[in-house]
Amino acid sequence: MRILKKIYIYPILVLAVCSITIVCASFSENMTIMGEAYLRVDEEIRITDLKMLSTNDSGFEKYNSKYSKNSTSMFVTLPQTTSTITYQVTIENKSNYVYVISDITDELNNSDIIYTIDDYKIGQGLDRKSTTTINITFKYKNGTSVLPTNIDQIANIYFKFERPQAIQLSYNNSISKTHCTDVQCALDELYELLGG
């Protein structure tokens, strides 16, 4: 039944738009279609959603937040020193490989408002064929007791996704008694011991 509805909806929609276009053209009127359209690049791993999760003490979004394959843009207003606003970022890994966020950088316009990232630590694995959500909370710096003049924060946050390499992985050297602290060093040392 749903397929039949879809089959009939699209031709009717196209016919309606064409009819309106012809009518506007016959009266020499301009037709304007307004709105925003986004084309999302299909990647092995990318951000697939960004939404405001919660607010506290009147915190709000000044403009709608936006996201791309590896970045988010949020427009936050905190009208009280105790105000907070939390966003949820959804990351989808469609590949057959584990990925990590190896770096998170930002562009901020207000040094009084900071953000924290919950539910994720740099280098933590993003499992293959999975969806991961992380929370980003905006708030004033600890110890802020007087409301600053600028209560807005424009925050662009960039995520670097990459497949983990041996040098990024920590190595427990307490058993092997080596000086190595990462996996690549341990592998190199093992290779030398084996006469490589």
Side-chain angles (χ1 to χ4, degrees):
M1 192 67 174
R2 283 184 157 168
I3 295 174
L4 286 176
K5 284 182 182 177
K6 286 183 182 178
I7 290 173
Y8 290 115
I9 284 268
Y10 295 121
I12 290 171
L13 185 61
V14 169
L15 184 62
V17 170
C18 289
S19 298
I20 292 170
T21 305
I22 291 169
V23 169
C24 288
S26 67
F27 290 110
S28 296
E29 294 290 325
N30 291 331
M31 182 177 78
T32 305
I33 298 175
M34 298 180 71
E36 293 183 9
Y38 295 99
L39 178 62
R40 304 280 185 207
V41 177
D42 189 29
E43 294 282 338
E44 283 189 338
I45 184 163
R46 64 161 296 139
I47 296 170
T48 57
D49 194 21
L50 172 64
K51 64 182 175 185
M52 187 173 57
L53 198 59
S54 65
T55 62
N56 184 33
D57 290 338
S58 306
F60 64 93
E61 251 185 343
K62 193 163 194 171
Y63 304 105
N64 290 335
S65 55
K66 299 177 181 180
Y67 67 92
S68 67
K69 69 178 182 176
N70 63 348
S71 67
T72 60
S73 297
M74 291 154 285
F75 309 92
V76 174
T77 299
L78 302 178
Q80 298 178 37
T81 57
T82 55
S83 298
T84 64
I85 186 167
T86 301
Y87 289 88
Q88 184 179 69
V89 181
T90 303
I91 301 165
E92 185 177 358
N93 180 1
K94 295 195 288 186
S95 75
N96 289 320
Y97 303 101
V98 173
Y99 273 81
V100 296
I101 300 173
S102 61
D103 194 21
I104 298 174
T105 56
D106 57 55
E107 290 176 8
L108 307 172
N109 75 328
N110 186 341
S111 59
D112 292 318
I113 298 175
I114 61 170
Y115 68 92
T116 59
I117 295 180
D118 302 321
D119 308 325
Y120 189 82
K121 289 186 174 71
I122 297 283
Q124 181 180 332
L126 301 169
D127 290 335
R128 57 183 70 99
K129 305 258 186 220
S130 69
T131 300
T132 304
T133 58
I134 62 175
N135 294 335
I136 300 174
T137 301
F138 291 90
K139 61 184 179 180
Y140 284 105
K141 288 181 178 177
N142 289 339
T144 302
S145 57
V146 177
L147 191 65
T149 307
N150 185 2
I151 61 171
D152 299 324
Q153 176 68 279
I154 300 172
N156 297 309
I157 301 176
Y158 304 95
F159 300 86
K160 185 176 180 184
F161 302 118
E162 60 183 8
R163 288 175 54 192
Q165 300 172 10
I167 199 159
Q168 294 171 314
L169 303 174
S170 62
Y171 174 73
N172 181 357
N173 60 7
S174 64
I175 296 171
S176 63
K177 305 293 187 212
T178 68
H179 68 282
C180 294
T181 57
D182 65 71
V183 172
Q184 187 61 54
C185 175
L187 289 173
D188 291 343
E189 191 169 281
L190 180 62
Y191 182 74
E192 286 178 23
L193 289 174
L194 294 174

